Amino acid sequence: MAKTAAEIGQILADAKSEIRKEWARLATLQKKLEGKLIRTWTPDNADLEYRDLLRKASAPWLMFARDCIAQGVIIDGYTDAEVWAKAWQDNGMDGRQHAITKEAIGLGKSFIMHLPAENGRIVMRGISSLSTYAVYKDPWDDYPAWALTRIGKRKANFWNSDWYFFDNEGSYRFTGDIATPQDLEFTAHSLGETPVVMISNTLAMEGEPLSSVESAITTYERIVDATFTLEMVQRYGAFPQKWMAGGEIAKDENGNALVRSSVDGLLHASGTSGETARFGSFASASLSDVVTALDAHIKHLAAVCQVPPHYLLGAVINMSAEGIAAAESGYFRNIGERQSSLGEGYELALRTAAAMLGQTAAADDTSSQVHFADVSTRSLAQISDAIVKLSAVGAPLELLFAMIPGWSKTDVLEAARQALEAKRELLAIEQ
C-alpha cells in the first residue's frame, strides 16, 4: 500500500539529522579529493603574492589516483545478452558507469535506481551518494528498506528541493522540505523491493564501505606542502641575490633607503665610497632538491593507492616490458579486488532490472556475471599467439576474443559469429 505524504514526512523527519551528517561527511571527503580543502600553514601577515602561490600549490592528486583505479574497472559485458541489451545498453550505461564507478571508488559508495518506463522498458540511472541516503533493515540486506535522493541542484534552503523517495511499493516524487512533502506523485512498481542498489567499493562486514583513496589524504597534504615549497623557492630563492658592502646608499629625511634592490635594478657606488665598495651574489637555491622531494611524495601517494608511479608522474624511461609489468602488478591486484566488490553491486543492479522487465529466470540467476574490459599492457602479438594456440585445443572463440584489448562484448560476439560461419562454409566446400 502506497504511503501518504504524512507517513513519508514522519519517516524522513526522524532521519533528518543522520541524513545531514552523512551528506556532510561525504561532501567534505569529496572536496578533499578535489583539492579544495587542503591548505598548508599561512602566516597572519601573508600578502597576496604569498596567498596566490598557496592557491596554486593545491591540485586534485587524489582524483588522479581515483581515476587511475576506475579506468581499470570498466564493464563491457554480461552473461545474459538480453538483459544486457534491454537494461544496460538501452540506458546508455556503457558511458554512465564511469561516473558511478569513480564515485564508488572515491567516496566508498554510489547508487543505481530503477524506474518503470513506457512500452515495457525501464529507466536505469546512477544517483550520487552525495545526495542519496538509504536505510537498510539489516547490514546484509541487498535492498534498502527505503531510500531518498535529491533531484537537481540544492536550493538556498538546504532542505527545500525536489526529491525522490523509494520503497518496496513504488517511487514518490515531491517538493519542499522532506519533513513536509508537497505535490506528492506516486508511481508503483512490481519489484517487491526498494528499486535502489548500492555500488560498494568494499564489502565491509560492518560500517560504511571504504574509499580507495581516503587513506592517502595525509600523503596528499605533504604533496601540497612540497609543491608550495617549490613555488616559494623558484619565486624567491632561484634568482641569485646580489649584495654590496662598503658603499653608501642615499636616504631620505626619515633614514629610509631611496634605492630598493630588484631584478631589474642596478646598484652602484660612486665617488670615494666606490673605491672601497665590494659586490657579490649569494648562491641560488637548488630547485632539483625540492623537485626530488616532491617526486618522492607523489611516489608515496602512488604506493598508498596502489597506482603505478608512472601513471601519476608520466615518466617511463627505458623501462622493459618486465619492469612495467612489475610496476603494475600491485595495481592489477588492486583493481581485481575492486572488480570483485563493485561487480557484485552491478550484477545485483542488472538482476533488479531483469525483475522489473519481467524476466524472472534472469532475475533469479545469481550465476550471471558482468565482464570487465582487459586493460592490461600485454601486446597484441602475445594475445594473438595465445588465441591461436588455445583455439587449436577447442577453447570457445567467445572467451578467446574477449582477451583482445579494446573489443566490446558486441565486437566479441560478432567476431565469433563470423568466424564460426566462415569455418562452416570452409567445411562445406571441403565436403
Side-chain angles (χ1 to χ4, degrees):
M1 182 177 177
K3 291 180 173 63
T4 64
E7 290 173 331
I8 294 174
Q10 184 60 52
I11 292 172
L12 297 179
D14 293 341
K16 213 172 185 180
S17 60
E18 290 299 321
I19 295 173
R20 186 68 180 266
K21 181 180 178 181
E22 177 64 6
W23 286 353
R25 180 186 73 85
L26 293 175
T28 300
L29 177 56
Q30 178 65 24
K31 288 182 179 179
K32 289 182 177 181
L33 298 186
E34 295 171 355
K36 294 180 179 178
L37 285 186
I38 306 299
R39 294 290 184 272
T40 190
W41 177 83
T42 307
D44 294 336
N45 60 346
D47 57 17
L48 292 177
E49 185 177 24
Y50 187 104
R51 294 182 184 279
D52 181 60
L53 294 177
L54 178 59
R55 178 184 61 83
K56 295 175 182 176
S58 181
W61 284 98
L62 293 173
M63 289 186 68
F64 299 157
R66 179 205 68 182
D67 291 352
C68 287
I69 299 171
Q71 287 162 4
V73 191
I74 300 173
I75 296 173
D76 65 354
Y78 184 61
T79 305
D80 193 305
E82 186 175 0
V83 175
W84 174 257
K86 291 185 177 181
W88 187 273
Q89 293 188 318
D90 193 40
N91 283 280
M93 290 296 292
D94 282 333
R96 298 181 192 277
Q97 66 170 310
H98 301 299
I100 299 170
T101 300
K102 286 179 181 179
E103 182 174 272
I105 291 172
L107 300 182
K109 62 183 178 181
S110 189
F111 295 91
I112 294 178
M113 71 170 185
H114 304 75
L115 295 172
E118 298 178 352
N119 302 321
R121 300 169 66 187
I122 65 166
V123 174
M124 186 177 178
R125 293 288 187 274
I127 48 178
S128 174
S129 58
L130 292 168
S131 56
T132 301
Y133 187 78
V135 172
Y136 291 80
K137 183 178 180 181
D138 292 310
W140 50 81
D141 287 346
D142 288 334
Y143 297 98
W146 59 265
L148 173 75
T149 186
R150 186 197 301 271
I151 307 171
K153 295 182 178 179
R154 184 180 126 187
K155 298 179 181 178
N157 185 320
F158 182 85
W159 295 111
N160 184 22
S161 189
D162 297 330
W163 306 91
Y164 252 122
F165 179 86
F166 304 92
D167 67 4
N168 59 351
E169 296 291 339
S171 59
Y172 308 76
R173 182 167 183 163
F174 62 91
T175 61
D177 192 293
I178 62 172
T180 55
Q182 305 293 323
D183 304 321
L184 185 66
E185 298 177 7
F186 173 72
T187 303
H189 61 71
S190 58
L191 185 62
E193 302 283 357
T194 302
V196 173
V197 173
M198 181 191 294
I199 307 299
S200 301
N201 184 53
T202 60
L203 300 180
M205 290 186 289
E206 61 180 6
E208 291 291 331
L210 302 178
S211 163
S212 286
V213 295
E214 185 176 8
S215 59
I217 289 177
T218 54
T219 307
Y220 170 59
E221 290 173 346
R222 296 202 301 270
I223 293 177
V224 175
D225 285 340
T227 304
F228 179 69
T229 301
L230 176 61
E231 290 184 330
M232 291 289 288
V233 169
Q234 69 184 11
R235 178 66 63 89
Y236 300 113
F239 181 79
Q241 300 297 310
K242 308 297 183 182
W243 57 265
M244 180 183 73
E248 294 182 0
I249 297 178
K251 300 178 181 179
D252 60 17
E253 61 276 9
N254 297 320
N256 298 317
L258 294 175
V259 178
R260 183 179 179 183
S261 178
S262 61
V263 174
D264 56 353
L266 177 66
L267 292 176
H268 68 280
S270 59
T272 57
S273 62
E275 297 177 1
T276 58
R278 292 177 294 116
F279 299 88
S281 62
F282 296 106
S284 60
S286 173
L287 290 177
S288 61
D289 292 341
V290 183
V291 171
T292 300
L294 176 58
D295 285 351
H297 291 314
I298 296 174
K299 290 177 181 177
H300 293 167
L301 176 70
V304 172
C305 296
Q306 285 187 280
V307 173
H310 60 270
Y311 283 18
L312 300 177
L313 294 170
V316 182
I317 302 175
N318 296 328
M319 286 185 68
S320 64
E322 292 77 11
I324 294 176
E328 294 180 342
S329 60
Y331 170 72
F332 285 111
R333 287 195 297 270
N334 184 25
I335 66 171
E337 184 178 345
R338 301 283 71 73
Q339 288 175 355
S340 298
S341 53
L342 293 168
E344 292 298 329
Y346 280 115
E347 287 164 9
L348 178 59
L350 284 165
R351 292 199 302 272
T352 304
M356 197 166 280
L357 288 167
Q359 300 183 20
T360 307
D364 295 337
D365 185 8
T366 56
S367 64
S368 293
Q369 293 184 322
V370 292
H371 181 270
F372 291 92
D374 186 358
V375 295
S376 61
T377 53
R378 296 191 301 269
S379 68
L380 186 59
Q382 290 176 311
I383 295 173
S384 300
D385 182 59
I387 290 174
V388 171
K389 292 178 179 178
L390 290 172
S391 63
V393 296
L397 291 178
E398 290 86 351
L399 297 179
L400 297 179
F401 288 160
M403 297 167 57
I404 300 177
W407 278 28
S408 66
K409 179 73 172 180
T410 304
D411 297 331
V412 169
L413 294 175
E414 178 62 20
R417 184 187 65 79
Q418 292 188 17
L420 291 174
E421 286 183 358
K423 187 174 181 179
R424 283 195 293 267
E425 292 175 359
L426 182 62
L427 291 174
I429 293 173
E430 292 177 351
Q431 292 176 355

Coordinates of all heavy atoms in Angstrom, one line a residue, residues 288-349:
S288 N 66.4 21.4 -7.8 CA 66.4 19.9 -8.1 C 66.2 19.2 -6.8 O 65.5 18.1 -6.8 CB 67.7 19.5 -8.7 OG 68.8 19.8 -7.8
D289 N 66.7 19.7 -5.6 CA 66.5 19.0 -4.4 C 65.0 19.0 -4.0 O 64.4 18.0 -3.5 CB 67.3 19.7 -3.3 CG 68.8 19.5 -3.5 OD1 69.1 18.5 -4.2 OD2 69.6 20.2 -2.9
V290 N 64.3 20.2 -4.2 CA 62.9 20.3 -3.9 C 62.1 19.4 -4.8 O 61.1 18.7 -4.4 CB 62.4 21.7 -4.0 CG1 61.0 21.9 -3.5 CG2 63.3 22.6 -3.1
V291 N 62.4 19.4 -6.1 CA 61.7 18.5 -7.1 C 61.9 17.1 -6.7 O 60.9 16.3 -6.8 CB 62.2 18.8 -8.5 CG1 61.6 17.8 -9.5 CG2 61.9 20.2 -9.0
T292 N 63.0 16.7 -6.3 CA 63.2 15.3 -5.8 C 62.4 14.9 -4.7 O 61.8 13.8 -4.6 CB 64.7 15.0 -5.5 OG1 65.5 15.3 -6.6 CG2 65.0 13.6 -5.0
A293 N 62.2 15.8 -3.7 CA 61.4 15.6 -2.5 C 59.9 15.5 -3.0 O 59.2 14.6 -2.5 CB 61.6 16.7 -1.5
L294 N 59.5 16.4 -3.9 CA 58.1 16.3 -4.4 C 57.8 15.0 -5.1 O 56.8 14.4 -4.9 CB 57.9 17.5 -5.3 CG 56.5 17.6 -6.0 CD1 55.4 17.6 -5.0 CD2 56.4 18.8 -7.0
D295 N 58.7 14.6 -5.9 CA 58.6 13.3 -6.6 C 58.4 12.1 -5.6 O 57.7 11.2 -5.8 CB 59.7 13.0 -7.6 CG 59.7 13.9 -8.8 OD1 58.6 14.5 -9.0 OD2 60.6 13.9 -9.6
A296 N 59.2 12.2 -4.5 CA 59.2 11.2 -3.5 C 57.8 11.1 -2.9 O 57.2 10.0 -2.6 CB 60.2 11.4 -2.5
H297 N 57.2 12.3 -2.6 CA 55.8 12.3 -2.0 C 54.8 11.7 -3.0 O 53.9 11.0 -2.6 CB 55.5 13.7 -1.6 CG 56.3 14.3 -0.5 ND1 56.5 13.6 0.7 CD2 56.9 15.5 -0.3 CE1 57.2 14.3 1.5 NE2 57.5 15.5 0.9
I298 N 54.9 12.1 -4.2 CA 54.0 11.5 -5.2 C 54.1 10.0 -5.3 O 53.1 9.3 -5.5 CB 54.2 12.2 -6.6 CG1 53.9 13.7 -6.5 CG2 53.3 11.5 -7.7 CD1 54.2 14.5 -7.8
K299 N 55.3 9.5 -5.3 CA 55.5 8.1 -5.3 C 54.9 7.4 -4.0 O 54.4 6.3 -4.1 CB 57.0 7.7 -5.4 CG 57.6 8.1 -6.7 CD 59.1 7.8 -6.7 CE 59.7 8.2 -8.1 NZ 61.2 8.0 -8.1
H300 N 55.0 8.1 -2.9 CA 54.3 7.6 -1.7 C 52.8 7.5 -1.9 O 52.2 6.5 -1.5 CB 54.7 8.5 -0.5 CG 56.1 8.5 -0.1 ND1 56.7 9.4 0.8 CD2 57.1 7.6 -0.4 CE1 57.9 9.1 1.0 NE2 58.3 8.0 0.2
L301 N 52.3 8.5 -2.5 CA 50.8 8.5 -2.8 C 50.5 7.4 -3.7 O 49.5 6.7 -3.5 CB 50.4 9.9 -3.5 CG 49.0 10.0 -3.9 CD1 48.1 10.1 -2.7 CD2 48.8 11.2 -4.8
A302 N 51.3 7.1 -4.7 CA 51.0 6.0 -5.6 C 51.1 4.7 -4.9 O 50.3 3.8 -5.1 CB 52.1 6.0 -6.8
A303 N 52.0 4.6 -3.9 CA 52.2 3.3 -3.2 C 50.9 3.1 -2.3 O 50.4 2.0 -2.2 CB 53.4 3.3 -2.3
V304 N 50.5 4.1 -1.6 CA 49.3 4.0 -0.7 C 48.1 3.6 -1.5 O 47.3 2.8 -1.1 CB 49.1 5.3 0.1 CG1 47.8 5.3 0.9 CG2 50.3 5.6 1.0
C305 N 47.9 4.2 -2.7 CA 46.7 4.0 -3.5 C 46.9 2.8 -4.4 O 45.9 2.5 -5.2 CB 46.4 5.2 -4.3 SG 45.9 6.7 -3.4
Q306 N 48.0 2.1 -4.4 CA 48.3 1.0 -5.3 C 48.1 1.4 -6.8 O 47.5 0.7 -7.5 CB 47.5 -0.2 -5.0 CG 47.9 -0.9 -3.7 CD 47.2 -2.2 -3.5 OE1 46.1 -2.2 -3.0 NE2 47.8 -3.3 -3.8
V307 N 48.8 2.5 -7.1 CA 48.8 3.0 -8.5 C 50.2 3.1 -9.0 O 51.0 3.6 -8.2 CB 48.1 4.4 -8.6 CG1 48.2 5.0 -10.0 CG2 46.6 4.3 -8.2
P308 N 50.6 2.6 -10.2 CA 51.9 2.7 -10.6 C 52.4 4.1 -10.6 O 51.7 5.0 -11.1 CB 51.9 2.1 -12.0 CG 50.7 1.2 -12.0 CD 49.7 1.9 -11.1
P309 N 53.6 4.4 -10.1 CA 54.1 5.8 -10.1 C 54.1 6.5 -11.4 O 53.9 7.7 -11.5 CB 55.5 5.7 -9.5 CG 55.5 4.4 -8.8 CD 54.6 3.5 -9.5
H310 N 54.4 5.7 -12.5 CA 54.5 6.4 -13.8 C 53.1 6.8 -14.3 O 53.0 7.6 -15.3 CB 55.2 5.5 -14.8 CG 54.6 4.2 -15.1 ND1 54.9 3.1 -14.3 CD2 53.6 3.8 -16.0 CE1 54.2 2.0 -14.8 NE2 53.4 2.4 -15.7
Y311 N 52.0 6.3 -13.7 CA 50.7 6.8 -14.1 C 50.5 8.2 -13.6 O 49.8 9.0 -14.3 CB 49.6 5.9 -13.4 CG 49.4 4.6 -14.1 CD1 50.3 4.0 -15.0 CD2 48.2 3.9 -13.8 CE1 50.1 2.8 -15.5 CE2 48.0 2.6 -14.4 CZ 48.9 2.1 -15.3 OH 48.7 0.9 -15.8
L312 N 51.1 8.6 -12.5 CA 51.0 9.9 -11.9 C 52.1 10.9 -12.4 O 51.9 12.1 -12.6 CB 50.9 9.9 -10.4 CG 49.8 9.1 -9.8 CD1 49.9 9.0 -8.3 CD2 48.5 9.6 -10.2
L313 N 53.3 10.3 -12.5 CA 54.5 11.2 -12.9 C 54.7 11.3 -14.4 O 55.3 12.2 -14.9 CB 55.7 10.6 -12.3 CG 55.8 10.7 -10.7 CD1 57.0 9.9 -10.2 CD2 55.9 12.1 -10.3
G314 N 54.1 10.3 -15.1 CA 54.3 10.3 -16.6 C 55.7 10.1 -17.1 O 56.0 10.5 -18.2
A315 N 56.5 9.4 -16.3 CA 57.9 9.2 -16.6 C 58.1 7.7 -16.8 O 58.1 6.9 -15.9 CB 58.8 9.7 -15.5
V316 N 58.3 7.3 -18.1 CA 58.6 5.9 -18.4 C 59.9 6.0 -19.3 O 59.8 6.2 -20.5 CB 57.5 5.2 -19.1 CG1 57.9 3.8 -19.4 CG2 56.2 5.2 -18.3
I317 N 61.1 5.8 -18.6 CA 62.3 6.0 -19.3 C 63.1 4.6 -19.3 O 63.5 4.1 -18.3 CB 63.2 7.1 -18.7 CG1 62.5 8.4 -18.7 CG2 64.5 7.2 -19.4 CD1 63.2 9.5 -17.9
N318 N 63.2 4.1 -20.5 CA 64.0 2.8 -20.7 C 63.5 1.7 -19.8 O 64.3 1.0 -19.2 CB 65.5 3.1 -20.4 CG 66.1 4.1 -21.5 OD1 65.7 4.1 -22.6 ND2 67.1 4.8 -21.0
M319 N 62.2 1.6 -19.6 CA 61.6 0.5 -18.8 C 61.3 -0.6 -19.7 O 60.7 -0.5 -20.8 CB 60.3 1.0 -18.1 CG 60.6 1.9 -16.9 SD 59.1 2.3 -16.0 CE 58.7 0.7 -15.3
S320 N 61.7 -1.8 -19.3 CA 61.5 -3.0 -20.1 C 60.0 -3.5 -19.9 O 59.4 -3.0 -18.9 CB 62.4 -4.1 -19.7 OG 62.2 -4.5 -18.3
A321 N 59.6 -4.4 -20.7 CA 58.2 -4.9 -20.5 C 58.1 -5.6 -19.2 O 57.0 -5.5 -18.5 CB 57.9 -5.9 -21.7
E322 N 59.1 -6.3 -18.7 CA 59.1 -6.9 -17.4 C 59.1 -5.9 -16.3 O 58.4 -6.1 -15.3 CB 60.3 -7.8 -17.3 CG 60.3 -9.1 -18.2 CD 60.8 -8.7 -19.6 OE1 61.2 -7.6 -19.8 OE2 60.6 -9.6 -20.5
G323 N 59.8 -4.8 -16.5 CA 59.8 -3.7 -15.5 C 58.4 -3.1 -15.3 O 58.0 -2.8 -14.2
I324 N 57.8 -2.8 -16.5 CA 56.5 -2.2 -16.4 C 55.5 -3.2 -15.8 O 54.6 -2.8 -15.0 CB 56.0 -1.9 -17.9 CG1 56.9 -0.7 -18.4 CG2 54.5 -1.4 -17.9 CD1 56.6 -0.4 -19.9
A325 N 55.6 -4.5 -16.1 CA 54.7 -5.5 -15.5 C 54.9 -5.5 -14.0 O 53.9 -5.6 -13.3 CB 54.9 -6.8 -16.2
A326 N 56.1 -5.5 -13.6 CA 56.4 -5.5 -12.1 C 55.8 -4.2 -11.4 O 55.3 -4.3 -10.3 CB 57.9 -5.6 -11.9
A327 N 56.0 -3.1 -12.1 CA 55.5 -1.8 -11.5 C 53.9 -1.8 -11.4 O 53.4 -1.2 -10.5 CB 56.0 -0.6 -12.3
E328 N 53.3 -2.5 -12.3 CA 51.8 -2.5 -12.4 C 51.2 -3.7 -11.7 O 50.0 -3.8 -11.6 CB 51.4 -2.5 -13.9 CG 51.7 -1.3 -14.6 CD 51.3 -1.3 -16.1 OE1 51.0 -2.4 -16.6 OE2 51.2 -0.2 -16.7
S329 N 52.0 -4.6 -11.1 CA 51.5 -5.8 -10.5 C 50.5 -5.5 -9.3 O 49.4 -6.1 -9.2 CB 52.6 -6.7 -10.0 OG 53.4 -6.1 -9.1
G330 N 51.0 -4.5 -8.5 CA 50.1 -4.2 -7.4 C 48.8 -3.5 -7.8 O 47.8 -3.7 -7.2
Y331 N 48.9 -2.7 -8.9 CA 47.7 -2.0 -9.5 C 46.7 -3.1 -9.9 O 45.5 -2.9 -9.6 CB 48.2 -1.2 -10.6 CG 47.0 -0.6 -11.4 CD1 46.2 0.4 -10.9 CD2 46.8 -1.1 -12.7 CE1 45.2 0.9 -11.7 CE2 45.7 -0.5 -13.5 CZ 44.9 0.5 -12.9 OH 43.9 1.0 -13.7
F332 N 47.1 -4.1 -10.6 CA 46.2 -5.1 -11.1 C 45.6 -6.0 -10.0 O 44.5 -6.4 -10.1 CB 46.8 -5.9 -12.2 CG 47.0 -5.2 -13.5 CD1 48.2 -4.8 -14.0 CD2 45.9 -4.9 -14.3 CE1 48.4 -4.1 -15.2 CE2 46.0 -4.2 -15.5 CZ 47.2 -3.8 -15.9
R333 N 46.4 -6.2 -9.0 CA 45.8 -6.9 -7.8 C 44.7 -6.0 -7.2 O 43.7 -6.5 -6.7 CB 46.9 -7.2 -6.8 CG 47.8 -8.3 -7.2 CD 48.6 -8.8 -6.0 NE 49.5 -7.8 -5.5 CZ 50.8 -7.6 -5.9 NH1 51.2 -8.4 -6.9 NH2 51.5 -6.7 -5.3
N334 N 45.0 -4.7 -7.1 CA 44.0 -3.8 -6.5 C 42.7 -3.7 -7.4 O 41.6 -3.8 -6.8 CB 44.6 -2.4 -6.5 CG 43.7 -1.4 -5.8 OD1 42.8 -1.7 -5.0 ND2 43.9 -0.1 -6.1
I335 N 42.8 -3.6 -8.7 CA 41.6 -3.5 -9.5 C 40.9 -4.8 -9.5 O 39.7 -4.9 -9.7 CB 41.9 -3.0 -10.9 CG1 42.7 -3.9 -11.7 CG2 42.5 -1.6 -10.9 CD1 42.8 -3.5 -13.2
G336 N 41.7 -5.9 -9.3 CA 41.0 -7.2 -9.2 C 40.1 -7.3 -8.0 O 38.9 -7.8 -8.1
E337 N 40.5 -6.7 -6.9 CA 39.7 -6.7 -5.7 C 38.5 -5.7 -6.0 O 37.4 -6.0 -5.5 CB 40.5 -6.2 -4.5 CG 39.8 -6.2 -3.2 CD 40.6 -5.8 -2.1 OE1 41.9 -5.8 -2.2 OE2 40.1 -5.5 -1.0
R338 N 38.8 -4.6 -6.6 CA 37.7 -3.6 -6.9 C 36.6 -4.2 -7.8 O 35.5 -4.0 -7.7 CB 38.3 -2.4 -7.5 CG 39.3 -1.6 -6.7 CD 38.7 -0.8 -5.6 NE 38.1 -1.6 -4.5 CZ 38.9 -2.2 -3.6 NH1 40.2 -2.1 -3.7 NH2 38.3 -2.9 -2.7
Q339 N 37.1 -5.0 -8.8 CA 36.1 -5.7 -9.7 C 35.2 -6.6 -8.9 O 34.1 -6.7 -9.2 CB 36.9 -6.4 -10.8 CG 37.5 -5.5 -11.8 CD 38.4 -6.2 -12.8 OE1 38.6 -7.4 -12.7 NE2 38.9 -5.5 -13.8
S340 N 35.8 -7.3 -8.0 CA 35.0 -8.3 -7.2 C 33.9 -7.6 -6.4 O 32.7 -8.1 -6.4 CB 35.9 -9.1 -6.3 OG 36.9 -9.8 -7.0
S341 N 34.2 -6.5 -5.7 CA 33.2 -5.9 -4.9 C 32.3 -5.0 -5.7 O 31.1 -5.1 -5.5 CB 33.9 -5.0 -3.8 OG 34.9 -4.1 -4.4
L342 N 32.8 -4.2 -6.6 CA 31.9 -3.4 -7.5 C 31.1 -4.3 -8.3 O 29.9 -3.9 -8.6 CB 32.8 -2.4 -8.3 CG 33.5 -1.3 -7.5 CD1 34.5 -0.7 -8.5 CD2 32.6 -0.3 -7.0
G343 N 31.6 -5.4 -8.8 CA 30.9 -6.3 -9.7 C 29.6 -6.8 -9.1 O 28.6 -7.0 -9.7
E344 N 29.7 -7.1 -7.8 CA 28.5 -7.6 -7.1 C 27.4 -6.6 -7.1 O 26.2 -7.0 -7.3 CB 28.9 -8.0 -5.6 CG 29.8 -9.1 -5.4 CD 29.3 -10.4 -5.9 OE1 28.0 -10.6 -5.9 OE2 30.0 -11.3 -6.4
G345 N 27.7 -5.4 -6.9 CA 26.7 -4.3 -7.0 C 26.1 -4.2 -8.4 O 24.8 -4.1 -8.5
Y346 N 26.9 -4.2 -9.4 CA 26.4 -4.1 -10.8 C 25.6 -5.3 -11.2 O 24.6 -5.2 -11.9 CB 27.6 -3.9 -11.7 CG 28.1 -2.5 -11.8 CD1 29.4 -2.1 -11.3 CD2 27.3 -1.4 -12.3 CE1 29.9 -0.8 -11.4 CE2 27.8 -0.1 -12.3 CZ 29.1 0.2 -11.9 OH 29.5 1.5 -11.9
E347 N 26.0 -6.5 -10.7 CA 25.3 -7.7 -11.0 C 23.9 -7.6 -10.4 O 22.9 -8.0 -11.0 CB 26.0 -8.9 -10.6 CG 27.2 -9.2 -11.5 CD 28.2 -10.2 -10.8 OE1 27.9 -10.7 -9.8 OE2 29.4 -10.4 -11.4
L348 N 23.8 -7.2 -9.1 CA 22.5 -7.0 -8.5 C 21.7 -6.0 -9.2 O 20.4 -6.2 -9.4 CB 22.7 -6.6 -7.0 CG 21.4 -6.4 -6.2 CD1 20.6 -7.6 -6.2 CD2 21.8 -5.9 -4.8
A349 N 22.3 -4.9 -9.7 CA 21.5 -3.9 -10.4 C 20.9 -4.5 -11.7 O 19.8 -4.2 -12.1 CB 22.4 -2.8 -10.8

